[in-house]
Amino acid sequence: SEFSLPWPPPLTNPNRQNFPIFLRKDSINSPRFFARVPQQGSGVVSPEDLSLPNPAVETKEEVLRVFDEVAEEEGAKSEDKAPGSSTRAKKKTEEEDEFDNRFKLRNGREVFEEKAYLVGVERKGDIEYAFGIEESLKELGQLADTAGLMVAEIKSAIHALGVETVIFDDELSAGKCNLNRQLRNLEKCFGGDVRVCDRTALILDIFNQRAATVALAQMEYQLPRLTKMWTHLERQAGGQVKGMGEKQIEVDKRILRTQIGVLKKELDSVRKHRKQYRNRRTSVPVPVVSLVGYTNAGKSTLLNQLTGANVLAEDRLFATLDPTTRRVQMKNGKEFLLTDTVGFIQKLPTTLVAAFRATLEEITESSLLVHVVDISHPLAEQQIDAVDKVLLELDVSSIPKLMVWNKVDKVADPEKLKLDAEKRGDIVCVSALNGEGLLEFCNAVQERLKDSMVWVEALIPFEKGELLSTVHQVGMVERTEYTENGTLVKAHVPLRFARLLTPMRQLSIT
Ligand SMILES: Nc1nc2c(ncn2[C@@H]2O[C@H](COP(=O)(O)OP(=O)(O)OP(=O)(O)O)[C@@H](O)[C@H]2O)c(=O)[nH]1
Ligand SMILES: [Mg+2]
């Protein structure tokens, strides 16, 4: 408070390469800021290098206040250094306590909370980008929460000492020389042991925590980036043992390649297992319906509501990483299998598409795709597009689709929304949370499934009673007639089941 800080603050090291960055508030109520770089390229805000000639921060006072806090902390530290200071020991244990407190329990797993600093870079060419940087950053924040990180506000970022990870909203592409320069510059600017990562690395981190199969994608992502990880060795060696860093790279690359080999084998066996499981399932003629949609749309909640299954549904991104299939039994005795899938996300890293494909293989064999949309989300349209794009890549255009607008309980004008849906004719409005519209949903599913069924007229002998009940369960029966020779049934049934009925169909023709 007695500090008067110069404005703009001086550079501690004038030789250090520094990109100017302008800070803007994330939104009026949010304490988070995002960075704007006026020219092409990326930039960083480094604590000592906070050279903001013309900050786009709403109030200069706000930033000054942050500086005050830093200064106060610095002041406290220098006091600390006084020999024999009794506050020193106290501070020490406080720090230790704080360190211990950062181990948190989440979903039965112990995670260490990292203080992270989100950086979004808006480039000139990106302005048209549908999601917009604010939304993208918000999503990144949620991603970071999911990874078990604590999103520190920019304040703590400026507090320097607090920041351990800097997360970029875009994939920092490897291989090109300007990435290396970019990373080195970042390292230089941040100094110390700050971890710099990007959207891809963060998503991979989440996957790595919960889905073993995706570890592969992570390793493949790491391989070209190893070069960067070992440059510090070269620097330490000061040119004398220049080969040292390189050797370590080779060792690391070899280890990674071996691990990739092992994982690939594991993945193969997982695939085989899943395939066997699917084959077993297809011998039961129950149609399979897959839930797809943007992450956090409410797919797992819908599955839970319909089946009473206890699938993890949470307000965090990528809550579901493994497909889960449950049997849905309707009041009228009809059944279908409902499969939950991993959510989609924009800017899906290229390395992840392959991993998604493995998890999403399930849906290529379903009779119907239900596209779940969080219609209360301001960017619902863009999320729909993002999902459609992935579906296109998965080559499932031949499978019929049904769109569900979820979270109708959350929208401002549900009646207007329902009218909109009605006008478009192919949309069901539901609230997976309170159960609204679920009956309509099931009926719509049945209706769509009919499109993938074939019409049969079959005379089923009385001794094959179980076949008749299966027709009722999995098909749509129009008529049954009892005759001397058995039950004459006219119905839509799944193709596979129709094959089972073939001999009886011939019977009905004669
Ligand atoms: N208000 C409201 N919230 C909902 C509704 N459906 C789901 N949610 C909430 O939305 C959040 C995400 O739901 P999930 O079912 O986990 O979403 P998901 O699509 O499975 O997400 P991923 O597994 O990440 O792909 C949870 O907090 C749910 O409680 C709804 O109809 N209304
Ligand atoms: Mg889910």
Side-chain angles (χ1 to χ4, degrees), residues 3-53:
F3 278 94
S4 80
L5 282 145
W7 189 266
L11 282 175
T12 40
N13 178 358
N15 296 326
R16 178 171 283 171
Q17 205 174 352
N18 191 61
F19 306 99
I21 280 194
F22 302 108
L23 302 175
R24 264 208 1 217
K25 268 203 154 180
D26 193 354
S27 75
I28 299 164
N29 327 338
S30 157
R32 193 159 57 214
F33 290 74
F34 70 88
R36 179 188 291 274
V37 185
Q39 75 269 7
Q40 188 86 14
S42 69
V44 288
V45 179
S46 151
E48 320 95 279
D49 295 349
L50 231 148
S51 64
L52 296 172

Side-chain angles (χ1 to χ4, degrees), residues 295-301 314 318-320 343 406-407 409 431-433:
T295 181
N296 219 40
K299 301 177 290 296
S300 300
T301 311
E314 280 180 280
F318 294 119
T320 306
N406 187 31
K407 308 199 188 180
D409 58 288
S431 165
L433 202 65

Side-chain angles (χ1 to χ4, degrees), residues 100-266:
D100 287 342
N101 285 341
R102 289 172 64 190
F103 284 98
K104 295 273 157 68
L105 206 64
R106 292 213 186 139
N107 287 336
R109 211 176 301 105
E110 195 180 35
V111 293
F112 183 70
E113 287 188 332
E114 280 179 74
K115 291 184 183 166
Y117 176 29
L118 303 181
V119 181
V121 179
E122 197 169 49
R123 280 166 303 221
K124 270 182 180 161
D126 284 356
I127 298 157
E128 317 277 52
Y129 190 61
F131 274 84
I133 192 156
E134 312 206 2
E135 188 53 40
S136 206
L137 266 183
K138 194 167 144 222
E139 193 175 77
L140 188 71
Q142 276 176 284
L143 278 172
D145 281 337
T146 305
L149 300 166
M150 185 179 86
V151 182
E153 315 301 353
I154 192 159
K155 243 160 66 176
S156 26
I158 294 171
H159 274 233
L161 324 146
V163 175
E164 288 153 339
T165 308
V166 180
I167 307 165
F168 283 82
D169 195 18
D170 285 283
E171 187 169 354
L172 299 170
S173 57
K176 308 246 159 56
C177 67
N178 61 356
L179 168 80
N180 257 337
R181 200 155 27 116
Q182 205 178 345
L183 282 174
R184 251 170 230 171
N185 280 335
L186 290 174
E187 270 185 338
K188 234 194 280 169
C189 290
F190 292 123
D193 333 297
V194 179
R195 191 166 68 116
V196 179
C197 75
D198 60 8
R199 184 177 261 265
T200 303
L202 188 58
I203 293 177
L204 288 173
D205 210 29
I206 298 171
F207 272 72
N208 200 30
Q209 278 179 29
R210 277 173 295 154
T213 53
V214 188
L216 179 65
Q218 180 164 44
M219 286 184 189
E220 284 179 341
Y221 179 76
Q222 272 176 0
L223 206 54
R225 279 162 180 79
L226 273 179
T227 330
K228 181 232 144 204
M229 282 161 63
W230 292 104
T231 46
H232 70 280
L233 271 186
E234 279 169 46
R235 243 179 283 136
Q236 272 170 6
Q240 256 182 342
V241 209
K242 201 172 168 287
M244 204 178 137
E246 274 160 42
K247 255 186 222 149
Q248 191 56 49
I249 292 168
E250 287 316 310
V251 171
D252 265 34
K253 279 191 176 166
R254 205 178 52 232
I255 294 171
L256 262 185
R257 282 206 191 95
T258 319
Q259 283 177 342
I260 287 174
V262 170
L263 270 172
K264 274 197 168 143
K265 261 190 211 133
E266 259 174 43

Side-chain angles (χ1 to χ4, degrees), residues 310-468:
N310 200 13
V311 176
L312 182 75
E314 280 180 280
D315 193 8
R316 39 146 68 185
L317 305 183
F318 294 119
T320 306
L321 290 170
D322 288 308
T324 324
T325 304
R326 290 290 135 85
R327 193 179 285 263
V328 178
Q329 188 128 38
M330 290 173 62
K331 289 220 176 71
N332 59 11
K334 301 240 176 294
E335 294 191 337
F336 54 88
L337 293 182
L338 196 60
T339 298
D340 190 12
T341 66
V342 53
F344 300 172
I345 196 158
Q346 51 126 349
K347 292 190 194 174
L348 189 65
T350 25
T351 29
L352 262 187
V353 177
F356 265 63
R357 211 179 288 271
T359 6
L360 291 172
E361 253 169 34
E362 301 274 325
I363 76 169
T364 60
E365 290 176 33
S366 45
S367 312
L368 177 68
L369 297 182
V370 172
H371 182 167
V372 183
V373 179
D374 173 0
I375 202 65
S376 73
H377 197 282
L379 289 180
E381 282 295 325
Q382 282 89 336
Q383 295 186 342
I384 291 171
D385 289 346
V387 170
D388 282 341
K389 226 169 103 192
V390 181
L391 288 179
L392 210 68
E393 277 172 47
L394 285 169
D395 201 18
V396 288
S397 52
S398 58
I399 304 175
K401 282 175 204 69
L402 171 67
M403 188 177 279
V404 169
W405 283 356
N406 187 31
K407 308 199 188 180
V408 287
D409 58 288
K410 240 177 127 181
V411 299
D413 192 351
E415 293 316 312
K416 186 184 169 292
L417 191 81
K418 281 173 202 162
L419 277 178
D420 282 351
E422 229 169 83
K423 255 185 241 154
R424 292 171 58 162
D426 51 353
I427 293 160
V428 188
C429 291
V430 304
S431 165
L433 202 65
N434 66 23
E436 190 188 338
L438 291 191
L439 195 67
E440 289 87 340
F441 169 73
C442 284
N443 289 336
V445 166
Q446 286 298 326
E447 207 41 49
R448 287 308 138 92
L449 282 174
K450 203 163 99 180
D451 296 343
S452 64
M453 293 184 192
V454 291
W455 176 252
V456 293
E457 297 183 15
L459 186 62
I460 299 174
F462 291 122
E463 65 269 23
K464 301 239 170 168
E466 79 289 346
L467 265 185
L468 187 63

Side-chain angles (χ1 to χ4, degrees), residues 263-303:
L263 270 172
K264 274 197 168 143
K265 261 190 211 133
E266 259 174 43
L267 247 184
D268 274 350
S269 83
V270 168
R271 279 219 186 89
K272 235 179 253 159
H273 180 84
R274 280 215 185 123
K275 182 114 193 151
Q276 276 169 3
Y277 173 68
R278 275 205 301 273
N279 287 346
R280 215 175 315 141
R281 209 165 58 200
T282 48
S283 65
V284 184
V286 182
V288 177
V289 177
S290 290
L291 298 171
V292 296
Y294 206 78
T295 181
N296 219 40
K299 301 177 290 296
S300 300
T301 311
L302 188 60
L303 182 78

